[in-house]
Amino acid sequence: MRRKNPFPGVDRPKNRHGKIHCRFRKTGFPSSNFYGVYAGPEFLKWYASCLAAKPAVPVSADIKIGTMNWLIQEYRTTPRWLGNKPATRKTQFLEQERFRARHGDKMIADLRPHHVERLMAEKHHEPAAANSILKLIKKLSRYAVKRGIIHADPTVSVERFPVNKDGFHTWTASEVQQYEAFHGVQSKAVLALRLFLYTGGSRADVVKMGWQTVRDNRIRYRRKKTQIDVDLPIKAPLREVLTNADTDCPLFITHNKGRPYTVESFGNWFKQQCKAAGLHHCASHGIRKHSASFMAERDTTESQMAAYLGHTNNNEAQTYFKKARRSKLGDGAMKAFDLDNPTSGLSKNESKVLKLKDN
């Protein structure tokens, strides 16, 4: 007789690449993956969070075929959706739920390009948000074409809103100094800043760092986004603030009562510290960009920068190197002004030619 599954919705655990892999799949709930000890404490927390993640709009098995509600439900069974990382799937899930709340009963076959443009126009003051709506509808439309629900993708002719190509603002050296001067070296705010600066970690990485990641005067962690191991020496500025960290607490950054931050709450807290220091335009992601730009300007190799950033390849590092090289090429071009003065009307060479003619 087959034993009853003690965790309904969870597939039987599989060993993949030396890791125990479990998958949660249940109608009306977002799918999720777990790597770790089956039925252990972390597994139980994960399973409880899966059961608690009910969609905002109820999903029914008998919803009308061809509606946005139905299409989104079907899309969530695809390999593309299930293959996303949990953090990515969570973000997309919330976007889908907001879209379903307003347009879930509408038919995908009735969607036209001007409808998409109208939805984007509602977010014209937030170009990135407008483009996210386009991206969401594009994914659903392409899936509908693939399923034969519609014959053409209505988003093909729709243009994206122009956005800042550089993305998040890159911190400057003066902004780092302003932040530290306001909060003080003894503060948790500066500890967080220097963890960003001297580890290359993101919010999801820094919030998990603690004494368990330190050994032999080095800090070692695995980047959550890329799953790449990062191994860096602890530089003096970071060592200075780590001496202020509580040795009885496993994590460097916690709430006042020692409770760990979530990635979102930590990001919100750090943004508040930036605003308090008068840096309303600064965010945690821009610190990684500041460090990468600093390295590129000092002839760090692309492989070295990729190791610091925890990237799987050198493509991202090349972006910073191109900017640094443009700056150096500009410096070289400006040396021409050391030889001649263009405001005088005549260059030194032209003056010499005129003198020879006069003689």
Side-chain angles (χ1 to χ4, degrees), residues 189-213:
V190 172
L191 171 60
L193 173 71
R194 292 195 183 180
L195 283 170
F196 282 123
L197 275 174
Y198 293 99
T199 68
S202 64
R203 295 179 306 168
D205 303 317
V206 170
V207 78
K208 296 291 185 181
M209 289 181 185
W211 295 110
Q212 76 281 359
T213 58

Short mmCIF file of all heavy atoms in Angstrom, two decimals, residues 189-213:
data_model
loop_
_atom_site.label_atom_id
_atom_site.label_comp_id
_atom_site.label_asym_id
_atom_site.label_seq_id
_atom_site.Cartn_x
_atom_site.Cartn_y
_atom_site.Cartn_z
N ALA A 189 24.35 51.56 10.20
CA ALA A 189 24.19 52.05 8.84
C ALA A 189 25.51 51.99 8.06
O ALA A 189 25.55 51.59 6.90
CB ALA A 189 23.65 53.48 8.85
N VAL A 190 26.60 52.38 8.72
CA VAL A 190 27.91 52.34 8.07
C VAL A 190 28.40 50.90 7.94
O VAL A 190 29.06 50.54 6.96
CB VAL A 190 28.92 53.21 8.83
CG1 VAL A 190 30.34 53.02 8.28
CG2 VAL A 190 28.53 54.68 8.72
N LEU A 191 28.09 50.07 8.91
CA LEU A 191 28.43 48.65 8.81
C LEU A 191 27.80 48.05 7.56
O LEU A 191 28.46 47.33 6.79
CB LEU A 191 27.96 47.90 10.06
CG LEU A 191 28.04 46.37 10.02
CD1 LEU A 191 29.48 45.90 9.81
CD2 LEU A 191 27.47 45.77 11.30
N ALA A 192 26.53 48.37 7.33
CA ALA A 192 25.85 47.86 6.14
C ALA A 192 26.50 48.39 4.87
O ALA A 192 26.72 47.65 3.91
CB ALA A 192 24.37 48.25 6.19
N LEU A 193 26.81 49.69 4.85
CA LEU A 193 27.43 50.29 3.67
C LEU A 193 28.74 49.62 3.33
O LEU A 193 28.99 49.27 2.16
CB LEU A 193 27.66 51.78 3.92
CG LEU A 193 28.45 52.52 2.82
CD1 LEU A 193 27.62 52.68 1.58
CD2 LEU A 193 28.94 53.88 3.32
N ARG A 194 29.58 49.40 4.32
CA ARG A 194 30.90 48.81 4.04
C ARG A 194 30.80 47.33 3.70
O ARG A 194 31.68 46.80 2.99
CB ARG A 194 31.83 49.05 5.24
CG ARG A 194 32.17 50.52 5.41
CD ARG A 194 33.34 50.75 6.33
NE ARG A 194 33.58 52.18 6.52
CZ ARG A 194 34.55 52.67 7.29
NH1 ARG A 194 35.37 51.84 7.95
NH2 ARG A 194 34.71 53.98 7.41
N LEU A 195 29.79 46.65 4.19
CA LEU A 195 29.58 45.27 3.74
C LEU A 195 29.25 45.25 2.25
O LEU A 195 29.75 44.40 1.51
CB LEU A 195 28.45 44.62 4.54
CG LEU A 195 28.81 44.16 5.95
CD1 LEU A 195 27.56 43.76 6.73
CD2 LEU A 195 29.79 42.99 5.91
N PHE A 196 28.42 46.20 1.81
CA PHE A 196 28.15 46.32 0.37
C PHE A 196 29.44 46.63 -0.40
O PHE A 196 29.73 46.01 -1.43
CB PHE A 196 27.13 47.44 0.11
CG PHE A 196 25.71 47.07 0.40
CD1 PHE A 196 24.97 47.81 1.31
CD2 PHE A 196 25.10 46.01 -0.24
CE1 PHE A 196 23.64 47.49 1.57
CE2 PHE A 196 23.77 45.67 0.01
CZ PHE A 196 23.04 46.42 0.92
N LEU A 197 30.19 47.60 0.10
CA LEU A 197 31.38 48.09 -0.60
C LEU A 197 32.46 47.03 -0.74
O LEU A 197 33.06 46.87 -1.80
CB LEU A 197 31.96 49.30 0.13
CG LEU A 197 31.38 50.68 -0.18
CD1 LEU A 197 31.99 51.71 0.76
CD2 LEU A 197 31.64 51.06 -1.63
N TYR A 198 32.73 46.31 0.35
CA TYR A 198 33.92 45.46 0.39
C TYR A 198 33.63 43.97 0.23
O TYR A 198 34.53 43.15 0.41
CB TYR A 198 34.68 45.71 1.69
CG TYR A 198 35.27 47.11 1.74
CD1 TYR A 198 34.64 48.13 2.43
CD2 TYR A 198 36.45 47.41 1.06
CE1 TYR A 198 35.16 49.42 2.46
CE2 TYR A 198 36.99 48.68 1.08
CZ TYR A 198 36.34 49.68 1.78
OH TYR A 198 36.86 50.97 1.79
N THR A 199 32.37 43.63 -0.11
CA THR A 199 32.08 42.22 -0.40
C THR A 199 31.46 42.05 -1.79
O THR A 199 31.44 40.93 -2.31
CB THR A 199 31.09 41.63 0.63
OG1 THR A 199 29.80 42.25 0.47
CG2 THR A 199 31.59 41.83 2.05
N GLY A 200 30.95 43.15 -2.39
CA GLY A 200 30.30 43.04 -3.69
C GLY A 200 28.93 42.39 -3.61
O GLY A 200 28.32 42.07 -4.63
N GLY A 201 28.42 42.20 -2.39
CA GLY A 201 27.15 41.52 -2.22
C GLY A 201 25.95 42.41 -2.49
O GLY A 201 26.04 43.64 -2.44
N SER A 202 24.83 41.79 -2.78
CA SER A 202 23.56 42.50 -2.96
C SER A 202 22.81 42.49 -1.63
O SER A 202 23.30 41.95 -0.63
CB SER A 202 22.73 41.83 -4.04
OG SER A 202 22.38 40.52 -3.64
N ARG A 203 21.61 43.05 -1.61
CA ARG A 203 20.80 43.02 -0.39
C ARG A 203 20.58 41.59 0.09
O ARG A 203 20.71 41.31 1.29
CB ARG A 203 19.43 43.67 -0.64
CG ARG A 203 19.45 45.14 -0.97
CD ARG A 203 18.03 45.62 -1.21
NE ARG A 203 17.36 44.81 -2.22
CZ ARG A 203 16.05 44.85 -2.46
NH1 ARG A 203 15.27 45.64 -1.76
NH2 ARG A 203 15.51 44.10 -3.40
N ALA A 204 20.26 40.70 -0.85
CA ALA A 204 19.98 39.30 -0.49
C ALA A 204 21.20 38.61 0.09
O ALA A 204 21.07 37.65 0.86
CB ALA A 204 19.47 38.55 -1.72
N ASP A 205 22.40 39.07 -0.27
CA ASP A 205 23.64 38.48 0.24
C ASP A 205 24.02 39.07 1.59
O ASP A 205 24.32 38.34 2.54
CB ASP A 205 24.78 38.68 -0.76
CG ASP A 205 24.46 38.11 -2.13
OD1 ASP A 205 23.91 37.00 -2.18
OD2 ASP A 205 24.73 38.79 -3.13
N VAL A 206 24.02 40.40 1.68
CA VAL A 206 24.47 41.09 2.89
C VAL A 206 23.59 40.74 4.08
O VAL A 206 24.07 40.58 5.20
CB VAL A 206 24.51 42.62 2.66
CG1 VAL A 206 24.75 43.36 3.97
CG2 VAL A 206 25.60 42.96 1.65
N VAL A 207 22.29 40.59 3.85
CA VAL A 207 21.37 40.31 4.95
C VAL A 207 21.64 38.94 5.58
O VAL A 207 21.24 38.68 6.72
CB VAL A 207 19.91 40.41 4.45
CG1 VAL A 207 19.50 39.18 3.68
CG2 VAL A 207 18.96 40.66 5.61
N LYS A 208 22.34 38.06 4.85
CA LYS A 208 22.66 36.72 5.35
C LYS A 208 24.08 36.60 5.90
O LYS A 208 24.45 35.56 6.44
CB LYS A 208 22.49 35.69 4.22
CG LYS A 208 21.07 35.56 3.69
CD LYS A 208 20.15 34.91 4.69
CE LYS A 208 18.77 34.66 4.11
NZ LYS A 208 17.85 34.05 5.09
N MET A 209 24.87 37.66 5.75
CA MET A 209 26.26 37.59 6.19
C MET A 209 26.38 37.66 7.71
O MET A 209 25.62 38.37 8.37
CB MET A 209 27.07 38.72 5.57
CG MET A 209 27.31 38.58 4.09
SD MET A 209 28.28 39.94 3.41
CE MET A 209 28.24 39.55 1.67
N GLY A 210 27.32 36.90 8.22
CA GLY A 210 27.55 36.87 9.67
C GLY A 210 28.89 36.23 9.97
O GLY A 210 29.71 36.01 9.07
N TRP A 211 29.10 35.94 11.24
CA TRP A 211 30.40 35.40 11.63
C TRP A 211 30.67 34.04 11.01
O TRP A 211 31.82 33.62 10.88
CB TRP A 211 30.49 35.31 13.16
CG TRP A 211 30.46 36.67 13.80
CD1 TRP A 211 29.45 37.22 14.53
CD2 TRP A 211 31.48 37.68 13.70
NE1 TRP A 211 29.77 38.50 14.91
CE2 TRP A 211 31.01 38.81 14.42
CE3 TRP A 211 32.72 37.75 13.08
CZ2 TRP A 211 31.75 39.98 14.53
CZ3 TRP A 211 33.46 38.91 13.19
CH2 TRP A 211 32.97 40.01 13.91
N GLN A 212 29.61 33.34 10.58
CA GLN A 212 29.80 32.04 9.93
C GLN A 212 30.42 32.19 8.55
O GLN A 212 30.93 31.22 7.98
CB GLN A 212 28.47 31.29 9.83
CG GLN A 212 27.52 31.78 8.76
CD GLN A 212 26.75 33.03 9.16
OE1 GLN A 212 26.92 33.53 10.26
NE2 GLN A 212 25.90 33.52 8.27
N THR A 213 30.38 33.42 7.98
CA THR A 213 30.97 33.65 6.66
C THR A 213 32.41 34.15 6.76
O THR A 213 33.04 34.40 5.74
CB THR A 213 30.13 34.68 5.87
OG1 THR A 213 30.07 35.90 6.61
CG2 THR A 213 28.72 34.16 5.64
#
